[in-house]
Amino acid sequence: MGETLFTNVSVIDGTGAKPFDATVRVQGNRIMAVTPGGAVDGAGAEIVDGGGTTLMPGLTDAHAHLSFLDAATLGDINALSAERHILETAKNARKMLDHGFTSMFSGSSARDNLEVALRDAINAGDIPGPRLKAATRQMTVTGGFGDIGREDAYSLVLDGPEAFRKACRAAARAGVDTFKIVPSAMGSGSDPLAEDTAMSDDEVAAVCAVARQRNRMVAAHARSADAVKMCVRNGVQVIYHATLADEEAKDMLEARRDSVFVAPAMGLPYGRLTEGEKYGVSTDDFTRARAEKEIETVSATMADLRKRGIRVLPGGDYGFKWNPHGRNARDLHMFVELFGFTPLEAIQAATQAGGELMGEPGCLGVIAEGAFADLLLVDGDPTKDIAILQDPDRFLAIMKDGAFHKAPPENRAGQQVAAE
Ligand SMILES: [Zn+2]
């Protein structure tokens, strides 16, 4: 079994602990030893001399849409033929690894079965890609967000608990890991951030009941306060956006903080305001007002949730023209700039908490004995400048499951410790 020894590295272990100098030994797909200081006991191992660079766990994106092909509109998401669509999605999977993301929790697939096929091909080693929790299409209701009036759309429009139950059972049979639902819908009126609650309690309950029976996760696009509360009450584990969560909703999240995850997924409004021009996207006054208000409101909410000890995770709806795949690590920058996380806390959210979201607590997203060897060798110190994680050239090496996706440069690798 292949062994790799990372020497002379500053380790960010993902738990929130301060960086420390250590030697990290990988055997097969697992981390076998983390030895503080410079001790080397790696007879026969391949040496990677970090030269004082950083070794940290691979990143997790908690709200990914690998099959959204940087579309300009919701109607464009399924514009390609199914055949072309899956090939383009495979390219995105590779791109995620190139950018240091070794785990993706899907916030919905654009087509039924697409992510299941992708996940299985990645796990079989047929194509490169991150660990993937495969989702359903997003399940909405008539007139709800995502209902664009087309049968072949990226959303599945269902009404009534029976319809949701049947769709979830079919999805479980097909092998998805997570059911994605859309309980809230854009509201009307003068407030640009107005949100209605579109799904009913018995529909959410039906989804959660199938999930419990079949050991699946449920993730929800929940912006209105009522939608957040309805989700928490029924046992939804992953709350996206939580835009208008009120005190009662926040209290409910806090009471369930050991089993619930929140991902604000603010890449779309933030990307529109900060990078829209760069990608040739124009923004009308209403949309701009909505984006500005969302950033202000959600930033305050997430700062509060963080103080309450609720797991808030990066993952920002990447996959649109003005918020394209590859920009995902910008979320960590937003956590620091807008939500008051320290860089180390933002990294912990994207690594240790990400591993918990992926269903591998203590085993994924951390550098610890026995953990999976998903590792990034980073040129620089992201605790001093979190933005460096947005630059793929900073990743000197990228390892997933013990194998290099990106091998270290020649001047850092290739030596072997002679066997005694
Ligand atoms: Zn999304």
Side-chain angles (χ1 to χ4, degrees):
M1 202 185 298
E3 287 189 23
T4 307
L5 201 63
F6 292 92
T7 65
N8 202 13
V9 286
S10 173
V11 170
I12 297 173
D13 68 4
T15 67
K18 285 204 171 68
F20 56 94
D21 294 337
T23 299
V24 175
R25 182 184 177 90
V26 172
Q27 186 175 30
N29 68 339
R30 300 268 184 175
I31 295 165
M32 293 304 286
V34 182
T35 312
V40 177
D41 61 341
E46 197 80 19
I47 299 282
V48 178
D49 180 356
T53 55
T54 299
L55 190 71
M56 61 178 281
L59 301 167
T60 301
D61 187 303
H63 186 140
H65 294 294
L66 289 174
S67 54
F68 289 15
L69 307 176
D70 297 347
T73 70
L74 296 175
D76 287 344
I77 291 173
N78 283 19
L80 296 179
S81 69
E83 295 80 2
R84 187 75 207 174
H85 198 158
I86 192 160
L87 291 171
E88 293 296 325
T89 302
K91 282 202 244 173
N92 281 337
R94 181 191 187 106
K95 188 184 269 188
M96 291 303 102
L97 273 188
D98 293 341
H99 285 78
F101 283 82
T102 49
S103 292
M104 311 297 284
F105 189 96
S106 177
S108 84
S109 174
R111 293 179 185 275
D112 296 334
N113 305 322
L114 195 164
E115 287 186 356
V116 170
L118 181 72
R119 177 201 65 200
D120 292 349
I122 291 170
N123 289 347
D126 296 335
I127 57 172
R131 300 174 194 271
L132 177 63
K133 289 297 180 193
T136 56
R137 275 194 284 165
Q138 65 171 31
M139 295 183 276
T140 189
V141 293
T142 298
F145 181 72
D147 175 12
I148 57 172
R150 268 174 33 197
E151 283 286 314
D152 64 341
Y154 77 111
S155 296
L156 184 59
V157 182
L158 306 163
D159 290 289
E162 276 309 318
F164 277 92
R165 200 165 9 244
K166 186 169 185 187
C168 289
R169 284 174 175 160
R173 180 182 60 195
V176 305
D177 301 302
T178 171
F179 302 149
K180 169 68 180 294
I181 55 173
V182 185
S184 72
M186 267 183 86
S188 49
S190 56
D191 183 348
L193 210 50
E195 289 285 334
D196 293 339
T197 304
M199 278 177 72
S200 60
D201 198 83
D202 58 354
E203 289 168 334
V204 177
V207 171
C208 290
V210 178
R212 277 191 293 274
Q213 285 180 323
R214 304 305 310 275
N215 196 26
R216 274 17 188 230
M217 298 276 280
V218 183
H221 167 109
R223 290 181 177 272
S224 67
D226 282 345
V228 173
K229 287 180 239 185
M230 185 164 65
C231 287
V232 176
R233 200 166 53 235
N234 282 293
V236 172
Q237 298 101 327
V238 188
I239 309 289
Y240 291 138
H241 308 301
T243 321
L244 300 174
D246 57 15
E247 284 304 310
E248 189 187 9
K250 288 189 263 190
D251 288 345
M252 289 172 73
L253 287 166
E254 186 176 346
R256 292 217 24 230
R257 66 184 178 187
D258 292 336
S259 57
V260 80
F261 301 88
V262 175
M266 270 215 315
L268 286 171
Y270 188 82
R272 184 176 276 284
L273 294 184
T274 59
E275 298 184 24
E277 232 165 83
K278 177 170 137 191
Y279 294 110
V281 172
S282 63
T283 301
D284 59 54
D285 289 348
F286 178 84
T287 308
R288 173 169 292 276
R290 181 175 160 87
E292 283 170 350
K293 190 163 184 190
E294 178 170 355
I295 290 167
E296 187 187 319
T297 306
V298 172
S299 295
T301 299
M302 295 307 144
D304 189 8
L305 297 186
R306 168 185 155 270
K307 285 188 196 131
R308 291 167 181 251
I310 296 157
R311 288 170 292 190
V312 179
L313 273 64
D317 252 330
Y318 294 89
F320 290 87
K321 188 180 178 188
W322 65 96
N323 192 46
H325 291 293
R327 297 293 290 120
N328 308 54
R330 194 186 57 200
D331 260 57
L332 281 82
H333 171 76
M334 288 158 63
F335 272 49
V336 173
E337 289 297 308
L338 300 174
F339 308 160
F341 281 58
T342 66
L344 209 46
E345 287 170 339
I347 290 169
Q348 182 183 8
T351 56
Q352 182 185 49
E356 290 163 4
L357 174 67
M358 296 295 288
E360 298 283 359
C363 220
L364 200 58
V366 290
I367 296 185
E369 218 173 285
F372 290 117
D374 288 11
L375 298 167
L376 308 174
L377 188 65
V378 185
D379 180 13
D381 181 357
T383 68
K384 296 213 168 70
D385 181 6
I386 195 75
I388 65 174
L389 296 175
Q390 296 175 47
D391 178 2
D393 292 339
R394 291 285 194 139
F395 299 123
L396 301 174
I398 298 167
M399 175 178 268
K400 182 199 146 201
D401 210 32
F404 281 115
H405 169 69
K406 182 179 186 178
E410 272 178 22
N411 62 343
R412 298 199 188 278
Q415 311 161 53
Q416 267 200 346
V417 179
E420 303 269 312

